[in-house]
Every structure is written in structure tokens, then in C-alpha cells.
Amino acid sequence: MIVFAGTVSVVGLRYHRFVRTQFHIWRARTGAGAVTDDAVEELFYRAARLADIEGKSRQPAETWREWMIGVSDPTRRSLIHRALSIYEKSKYGRLPVSASDFTVLEETIRELKA
């Protein structure tokens, strides 16, 4: 029992930010909490990974908009543009992200998976 508790504690400490972000996403999805910047960032990164089917990863000196132009599929480019607008609103505009913006991010991820 002590070994199990120790293992859970170590894993919890190591992945604390990930678990907290997933919890915030779950709360926003169920309507039990506000949409946090961490949740928006995580959902945008998921969308970016899904849009990047060519394997062209973003370079360190490249902005997200510059990277987005390199996405060859116009449908995927427009979807990631929609997600990027919400991400920029949250990250740089410091404007609160609404529940409808959160829904748009989740819809974008679903459409990119299809």
C-alpha cells in the first residue's frame, strides 16, 4: 500500500500540470467551470498536431501564423486559422475565452480528426 501511494505521489507530482489542465478542460466541457488559458493552449496544440499531417513541425523562430501558411491542405489551414484566432485572443489579447470559443476549439479538433 505504501509503495502504491508513493508511486501515485511521484506520478502526480511529475504530471501535475497535465492533470490540472485535463481537469480544467473537463470542467469547461461540462459547464462546471470557466475556460482557462491552459485549457485553450492545450486544445490549440492538439489542433496544431492534427493539422500537421505533412510532418512539418514549427521551427523555433517561426510564428504560428507563418507555420499555418505552410499547411498545404486549405481545409486544414482554415480550421487551424479558426483555432489560432481563439488561441491568440487568450494568449496575447488577454481577453477571456467564452464557452462558445471553447466549443469552437473542440469542434475544430473533431473536424481535423475526421
Side-chain angles (χ1 to χ4, degrees):
M1 191 66 156
I2 293 173
V3 172
F4 177 73
T7 303
V8 168
S9 296
V10 168
V11 170
L13 290 173
R14 183 171 175 100
Y15 297 103
H16 171 65
R17 184 168 190 255
F18 173 77
V19 171
R20 186 185 67 208
T21 301
Q22 295 305 315
F23 178 70
H24 288 298
I25 291 171
W26 175 78
R27 285 188 53 155
R29 187 176 291 143
T30 60
V35 181
T36 64
D37 292 340
D38 288 340
V40 170
E41 184 175 4
E42 174 65 25
L43 291 177
F44 172 72
Y45 287 163
R46 284 183 196 174
R49 283 191 301 271
L50 289 169
D52 184 24
I53 58 173
E54 294 96 20
K56 179 189 171 278
S57 59
R58 186 175 143 247
Q59 300 303 311
E62 191 174 34
T63 66
W64 281 110
R65 290 205 176 267
E66 292 169 339
W67 171 83
M68 181 186 64
I69 291 169
V71 175
S72 61
D73 183 8
T75 304
R76 289 183 174 280
R77 191 177 323 117
S78 69
L79 288 171
I80 198 67
H81 182 267
R82 186 169 65 180
L84 180 60
S85 297
I86 296 168
Y87 172 74
E88 288 174 339
K89 175 181 172 182
S90 168
K91 182 88 172 176
Y92 305 114
R94 292 293 175 204
L95 299 172
V97 175
S98 66
S100 64
D101 289 336
F102 181 81
T103 303
V104 167
L105 282 172
E106 288 201 313
E107 287 173 2
T108 300
I109 291 171
R110 278 193 289 277
E111 290 175 28
L112 286 168
K113 284 182 179 180

mmCIF file of all heavy atoms in Angstrom, residues 2 9 16 27 31 33 38-39 50 73 77 99:
data_model
loop_
_atom_site.group_PDB
_atom_site.id
_atom_site.type_symbol
_atom_site.label_atom_id
_atom_site.label_comp_id
_atom_site.label_asym_id
_atom_site.label_seq_id
_atom_site.Cartn_x
_atom_site.Cartn_y
_atom_site.Cartn_z
ATOM 1 N N ILE A 2 1.946 1.211 0.766
ATOM 2 C CA ILE A 2 2.849 2.356 0.834
ATOM 3 C C ILE A 2 3.538 2.578 -0.510
ATOM 4 O O ILE A 2 3.684 3.711 -0.970
ATOM 5 C CB ILE A 2 3.883 2.166 1.966
ATOM 6 C CG1 ILE A 2 3.168 2.193 3.312
ATOM 7 C CG2 ILE A 2 4.964 3.223 1.911
ATOM 8 C CD1 ILE A 2 4.040 1.844 4.487
ATOM 9 N N SER A 9 2.007 9.344 -5.835
ATOM 10 C CA SER A 9 2.509 10.681 -5.486
ATOM 11 C C SER A 9 3.568 11.149 -6.476
ATOM 12 O O SER A 9 3.539 12.297 -6.921
ATOM 13 C CB SER A 9 3.115 10.670 -4.082
ATOM 14 O OG SER A 9 2.131 10.383 -3.136
ATOM 15 N N HIS A 16 1.639 16.907 -12.816
ATOM 16 C CA HIS A 16 0.669 17.780 -12.155
ATOM 17 C C HIS A 16 0.024 18.775 -13.130
ATOM 18 O O HIS A 16 -1.192 18.928 -13.157
ATOM 19 C CB HIS A 16 1.342 18.524 -11.010
ATOM 20 C CG HIS A 16 0.497 19.597 -10.406
ATOM 21 N ND1 HIS A 16 -0.679 19.318 -9.750
ATOM 22 C CD2 HIS A 16 0.635 20.947 -10.373
ATOM 23 C CE1 HIS A 16 -1.219 20.445 -9.332
ATOM 24 N NE2 HIS A 16 -0.437 21.449 -9.699
ATOM 25 N N ARG A 27 -13.891 20.352 -16.791
ATOM 26 C CA ARG A 27 -14.838 21.258 -16.144
ATOM 27 C C ARG A 27 -15.471 22.212 -17.141
ATOM 28 O O ARG A 27 -16.673 22.486 -17.074
ATOM 29 C CB ARG A 27 -14.152 22.055 -15.040
ATOM 30 C CG ARG A 27 -13.896 21.208 -13.805
ATOM 31 C CD ARG A 27 -13.406 22.044 -12.700
ATOM 32 N NE ARG A 27 -14.349 23.150 -12.502
ATOM 33 C CZ ARG A 27 -14.511 23.782 -11.380
ATOM 34 N NH1 ARG A 27 -13.808 23.453 -10.341
ATOM 35 N NH2 ARG A 27 -15.363 24.772 -11.273
ATOM 36 N N GLY A 31 -19.424 22.423 -18.258
ATOM 37 C CA GLY A 31 -20.066 23.664 -17.833
ATOM 38 C C GLY A 31 -19.901 23.952 -16.360
ATOM 39 O O GLY A 31 -20.551 24.846 -15.824
ATOM 40 N N GLY A 33 -17.061 24.919 -14.896
ATOM 41 C CA GLY A 33 -16.006 25.884 -14.618
ATOM 42 C C GLY A 33 -15.727 26.764 -15.812
ATOM 43 O O GLY A 33 -16.177 26.501 -16.924
ATOM 44 N N ASP A 38 -4.733 27.719 -19.870
ATOM 45 C CA ASP A 38 -4.061 26.427 -20.065
ATOM 46 C C ASP A 38 -4.903 25.482 -20.914
ATOM 47 O O ASP A 38 -4.380 24.755 -21.754
ATOM 48 C CB ASP A 38 -3.757 25.756 -18.719
ATOM 49 C CG ASP A 38 -2.631 26.441 -17.964
ATOM 50 O OD1 ASP A 38 -1.835 27.164 -18.595
ATOM 51 O OD2 ASP A 38 -2.551 26.239 -16.735
ATOM 52 N N ALA A 39 -6.209 25.496 -20.697
ATOM 53 C CA ALA A 39 -7.100 24.628 -21.473
ATOM 54 C C ALA A 39 -7.113 25.054 -22.933
ATOM 55 O O ALA A 39 -7.052 24.209 -23.835
ATOM 56 C CB ALA A 39 -8.508 24.662 -20.891
ATOM 57 N N LEU A 50 -2.857 17.839 -35.107
ATOM 58 C CA LEU A 50 -3.735 17.160 -36.059
ATOM 59 C C LEU A 50 -3.667 17.792 -37.443
ATOM 60 O O LEU A 50 -3.794 17.104 -38.456
ATOM 61 C CB LEU A 50 -5.180 17.186 -35.554
ATOM 62 C CG LEU A 50 -5.464 16.301 -34.346
ATOM 63 C CD1 LEU A 50 -6.836 16.618 -33.768
ATOM 64 C CD2 LEU A 50 -5.361 14.841 -34.724
ATOM 65 N N ASP A 73 -3.011 21.729 -47.116
ATOM 66 C CA ASP A 73 -4.438 21.469 -47.300
ATOM 67 C C ASP A 73 -5.237 22.708 -46.890
ATOM 68 O O ASP A 73 -5.196 23.122 -45.718
ATOM 69 C CB ASP A 73 -4.851 20.268 -46.453
ATOM 70 C CG ASP A 73 -6.306 19.888 -46.630
ATOM 71 O OD1 ASP A 73 -6.969 20.453 -47.521
ATOM 72 O OD2 ASP A 73 -6.777 19.009 -45.882
ATOM 73 N N ARG A 77 -5.964 24.263 -43.177
ATOM 74 C CA ARG A 77 -5.440 25.601 -42.909
ATOM 75 C C ARG A 77 -6.537 26.503 -42.346
ATOM 76 O O ARG A 77 -6.315 27.247 -41.393
ATOM 77 C CB ARG A 77 -4.841 26.212 -44.175
ATOM 78 C CG ARG A 77 -4.061 27.478 -43.890
ATOM 79 C CD ARG A 77 -3.387 28.089 -45.112
ATOM 80 N NE ARG A 77 -2.855 27.138 -46.042
ATOM 81 C CZ ARG A 77 -3.274 27.003 -47.312
ATOM 82 N NH1 ARG A 77 -4.225 27.777 -47.786
ATOM 83 N NH2 ARG A 77 -2.739 26.107 -48.110
ATOM 84 N N ALA A 99 -17.391 30.301 -23.510
ATOM 85 C CA ALA A 99 -17.755 28.896 -23.672
ATOM 86 C C ALA A 99 -17.960 28.565 -25.144
ATOM 87 O O ALA A 99 -17.649 27.454 -25.584
ATOM 88 C CB ALA A 99 -19.014 28.589 -22.869
#
